[in-house]
Each structure stands twice: as structure tokens, then as C-alpha cells.
Amino acid sequence: MSLNRISLTAVRNLHPVTLSPSPRINILYGANGSGKTSVLEAVYLLGLARSFRSLRLQPMIQYEQSACTVFGQVQLPQGGLCNLGVSRGRDGEFQIRIDGENARSAAQLAETLPLQLINPDSFRLLEGAPKVRRQFLDWGVFHVEPRFLGGWQRVQKALRQRNSWLRHGRLDVIEQAAWDRELSLASAEIDGYRREYLQALKPVFEQTLTELLDLPGLQLSYYRGWDKERELLDVLSASLPRDQAVGHTQAGPQRADLRLRIGGHNAADILSRGQQKLVVCALRIAQGHLVNQAKHGRCIYLVDDLPSELDEEHRQALCRLLEDLQCQVFITCVDPHLLKDGWRTDTPVAMFHVEHGRITQDHRSEA
Ligand SMILES: Nc1ncnc2c1ncn2[C@@H]1O[C@H](COP(=O)(O)OP(=O)(O)O)[C@@H](O)[C@H]1O
Ligand SMILES: [Mg+2]
């Protein structure tokens, strides 16, 4: 899928605008502070109902405006169009519309508009807390396995129950055992989906990485969140006294992680920033390939400040991989000359100049 049209109002410093992006490569260029990242942030809001720059959406609303709004028209892979709208008011009002109807949850948006973000913070995927990697993994599982969401909701519910009685001790023994069984069963289901997904992801990731970097020995592995030899039910009963002492459940799929190691070291501890960025790009591009194969169609890539940390050779290799994905890509950069050329002649490339919050399409370079 791709966005045919994007309209935005009162997003950060951007003047109200309607853009008609290319279904493939879109380059937004302009000086620092002109509003390039804000455009990506607007698209991200449309797909995920949140920002990647701050935990709250309030800072996205333009000063002195009461609400920011983003509309998008999505070309669906099976044909047809879908209209999405997200609006956030200063008073906290939040609205998600899909084809004119109020949506129940952000998961519906995510399903319509699978997004992958690569930005200068992306190295956090390697360096940051397990939660970041879990979100990455689950994004992929969610898009290729329709049963994942239901299973995950079951895990959440059982976990909330268990953590509540760990803290307050208000359930009887039979009820506790029933919730432990439910948690264990739902966790085994989730673990199965994640493991299967990772098995599919690994070879695609390794292949993608070889096209970007020479890093033999980089190992991607999955930790499910509890001892791989034992059932979660056994682990839960063995760890009960400790869980009670800390007031929450310490083992289970809520602790799952991905591990990237080179020769026994954590990859984040030995790779340069640029190398980390490329490893993360390879992971995210590999995910895009898997989503492309699954029934949801193609995802959209947002690449903020693509040239940063990369030399020319790696920049070109990354552009080639993004082009080969056949996805819609939005790339920002300061200097358009770094990215203007080198695309295949049949790839439609649209260039947008962002200046003090105003966006103009550069028609000379339009395909
Ligand atoms: N809520 C807001 N209202 C108006 N302007 C804002 C708001 N939030 C940030 N800005 C301004 O918007 C500009 C755009 O920032 P950004 O999109 O990060 O630019 P770029 O990515 O092109 O460097 C910045 O100059 C910033 O000061
Ligand atoms: Mg920026």
C-alpha cells in the first residue's frame, strides 16, 4: 500500500498542505528546522496514532492552534482506497477515523498502514532496553500472524490478574492456579508465533545485511522470556515466592528479547554508530520483505536523515535496498544532491523542498 495523498493541518511548524507523494521514493530536503522530520511525524501519527519524538502528542500541535490533524488516502494492495484521519486536540480529544467511521483502536490503523521508521535514534534497537526489541519483533509478528493480537491480549489479561494478586493476595488458590494455567497456555501460543516469525526473519536479515555490511559472525537469536527447557507453568510456581516479594511476574513472554551478538559480545558494545545504523536498517528492511509477502501488502518506510553516519558507499547500498523493497519510502536529508541521483530510471522519485514549514514539490525531478 502507499499514500496517494497526505493533508496536514497545524502539525508543528508546517503550513497546512496537501501532498501527492510518489508511490515509491519521496525525498524531503531542506535546512535544519525547516520541518522535514515533522512531515514524517505526521505520517507516523497516521499509522500509529503516536509520535516518535515525544511520549505525548500535545507538543506536535502547532503553537496557538487547538488541534493538529492528518488525513491520508491509502491505495490498498488489493485495489481500492482507504481514508484515514487522526486528530489530536489541545484539550486531549483524540480521534481516529477510518473511512469516515470512528476507529476502536490504533491497531486498526496499524493494520491499514504498516510503517517502519529508521531515524538517528534507531541504534536504540540494539542498545536500548529489551522492550524496544520486543516491540520490533511484535510489530512483525502482528503483521504476518493474524492470531497474534488475540493471543497477546490473553497474555496481558492473565498477567494483570496474576500481578494484582501478587500485590494484594486476594485470590483463592484454585483461582490462582486457573490464571497461571491461562497465562502459561497463552504464553506458549505467543512464543510459538514469535519463534516462527524469527525463523523466517533470520535468513532474510542475514541476506540483507551482507548487502550492506561485511559483518560475519553477527548472530540474531530469540529469548522467549523464560527457561527454554521448562514450561512456563513450572517456572511460575517455582518463582512464586520471589514474584510475591517483588510484586510482579518476572518470567514470561513480557520479558522476551532479541539478542544480537558477535563473537560472544553484545553487538551494541562493539559496533560503530554507522554500523549499528546499518544493522538496524537490515533488520527493518528484512521485516518489510516479510510483510510484503504476507497478505497485508507493502509497508511504508520513513527514513529520517538517511545520510547521517553513512559514507557514500553505504548510503548507496541502503538506497538500493530500499528501492528493491518496492515500497513507498519517505526520506529526509539536508543536501538533496546526496540522494537525487542513482535511482533506477523506472523508479518514480518525487522531491519536496521544505522551507520554513512550507513544502513545495520540485517538478523538474518528478518521474
Ligand atoms: N508545536 C510546534 N509549533 C510550531 N513550531 C514547532 C512546534 N514544535 C516544533 N516546532 C518547530 O518546528 C520546526 C521543525 O522541526 P523539524 O521538523 O524537526 O525540522 P527538520 O527535521 O527539518 O530539521 C523547528 O524549528 C521547531 O522549532
Ligand atoms: Mg529533522
Side-chain angles (χ1 to χ4, degrees):
M1 52 205 78
S2 58
L3 282 160
N4 281 346
R5 214 163 49 226
I6 306 164
S7 295
L8 44 91
T9 315
V11 174
R12 299 216 187 250
N13 70 329
L14 297 172
H15 291 260
V17 70
T18 296
L19 304 173
S20 303
S22 151
R24 299 287 303 285
I25 305 296
N26 294 278
I27 297 171
L28 298 137
Y29 65 95
N32 292 330
S34 56
K36 304 177 299 293
T37 302
S38 303
V39 179
L40 301 192
E41 206 180 7
V43 177
Y44 194 87
L45 180 74
L46 203 55
L48 284 141
R50 48 188 169 84
S51 167
F52 54 82
R53 283 212 273 203
S54 55
L55 286 176
R56 296 175 312 119
L57 286 178
Q58 161 96 359
M60 266 186 86
I61 306 170
Q62 194 161 88
Y63 307 141
E64 326 220 335
Q65 296 291 320
S66 57
C68 68
T69 308
V70 186
F71 286 110
Q73 187 177 66
V74 183
Q75 176 76 53
L76 297 171
Q78 63 271 31
L81 300 169
C82 176
N83 289 299
L84 303 178
V86 177
S87 175
R88 168 64 158 83
R90 210 170 273 289
D91 54 5
E93 195 192 311
F94 192 64
Q95 218 179 31
I96 302 175
R97 310 267 292 173
I98 301 182
D99 278 335
E101 307 271 334
N102 284 333
R104 288 184 314 276
S105 74
Q108 271 180 286
L109 277 182
E111 199 160 342
T112 314
L113 203 64
L115 291 179
Q116 280 287 354
L117 172 74
I118 296 168
N119 71 358
D121 275 351
S122 285
F123 63 89
R124 295 234 170 90
L125 185 61
L126 303 190
E127 230 178 58
K131 184 178 174 193
V132 187
R133 285 178 295 280
R134 221 162 31 239
Q135 279 173 348
F136 166 84
L137 170 66
D138 288 346
W139 182 95
V141 189
F142 169 80
H143 282 291
V144 305
E145 173 49 74
R147 291 170 296 181
F148 175 77
L149 185 61
W152 183 241
Q153 284 163 344
R154 271 176 67 199
V155 167
Q156 292 293 316
K157 186 171 174 195
L159 254 183
R160 270 198 306 275
Q161 289 286 344
R162 189 171 195 271
N163 289 339
S164 164
W165 66 253
L166 284 172
R167 281 194 295 274
H168 310 294
R170 281 202 207 104
L171 279 189
D172 66 35
V173 178
I174 293 171
E175 226 175 322
Q176 279 178 26
W179 279 114
D180 274 4
R181 252 195 325 278
E182 164 67 2
L183 180 56
S184 182
L185 280 174
S187 300
E189 185 188 340
I190 289 301
D191 173 45
Y193 298 147
R194 283 173 170 168
R195 195 183 342 213
E196 213 170 288
Y197 178 76
L198 205 79
Q199 262 168 17
L201 183 73
K202 249 182 95 144
V204 185
F205 164 65
E206 283 161 8
Q207 175 58 37
T208 310
L209 190 66
T210 58
E211 290 173 41
L212 279 176
L213 260 186
D214 189 24
L215 265 187
L218 182 75
Q219 292 284 338
L220 170 65
S221 64
Y222 163 65
Y223 167 65
R224 67 173 176 172
W226 72 95
D227 187 338
K228 63 176 186 290
E229 308 293 340
R230 294 157 72 201
E231 290 211 21
L232 184 58
L233 198 57
D234 298 337
V235 176
L236 290 176
S237 64
S239 64
L240 184 59
R242 245 172 9 120
D243 285 354
Q244 272 171 324
V246 296
H248 63 261
T249 306
Q250 295 179 95
Q254 76 283 8
R255 300 298 282 269
D257 199 358
L258 289 179
R259 291 180 175 159
L260 280 129
R261 299 182 73 78
I262 304 178
H265 298 280
N266 213 341
D269 293 336
I270 51 175
L271 297 182
S272 75
R273 264 300 147 76
Q275 286 175 315
Q276 291 187 39
K277 175 164 174 167
L278 291 166
V279 170
V280 171
C281 289
L283 281 167
R284 296 203 174 275
I285 288 170
Q287 276 204 321
H289 281 294
L290 294 194
V291 173
N292 286 356
Q293 286 163 18
K295 66 176 170 36
H296 294 282
R298 301 181 182 285
C299 62
I300 293 174
Y301 278 76
L302 307 177
V303 189
D304 199 13
D305 207 353
L306 182 142
S308 78
E309 318 268 2
L310 302 181
D311 57 42
E312 186 179 350
E313 184 194 334
H314 290 105
R315 197 168 63 231
Q316 281 176 1
L318 176 57
C319 286
R320 187 44 58 100
L321 285 175
L322 288 168
E323 192 176 23
D324 288 345
L325 268 172
Q326 310 267 329
C327 287
Q328 188 174 39
V329 188
F330 293 85
I331 299 171
T332 73
C333 61
V334 175
D335 179 1
H337 297 102
L338 294 180
L339 295 174
K340 209 158 125 194
D341 304 315
W343 308 100
R344 294 192 183 91
T345 47
D346 56 347
T347 299
V349 179
M351 309 275 296
F352 297 90
H353 190 188
V354 189
E355 283 174 294
H356 304 296
R358 285 187 198 279
I359 308 171
T360 45
Q361 186 162 358
D362 185 346
H363 287 282
R364 280 163 301 147
S365 52
E366 201 183 357

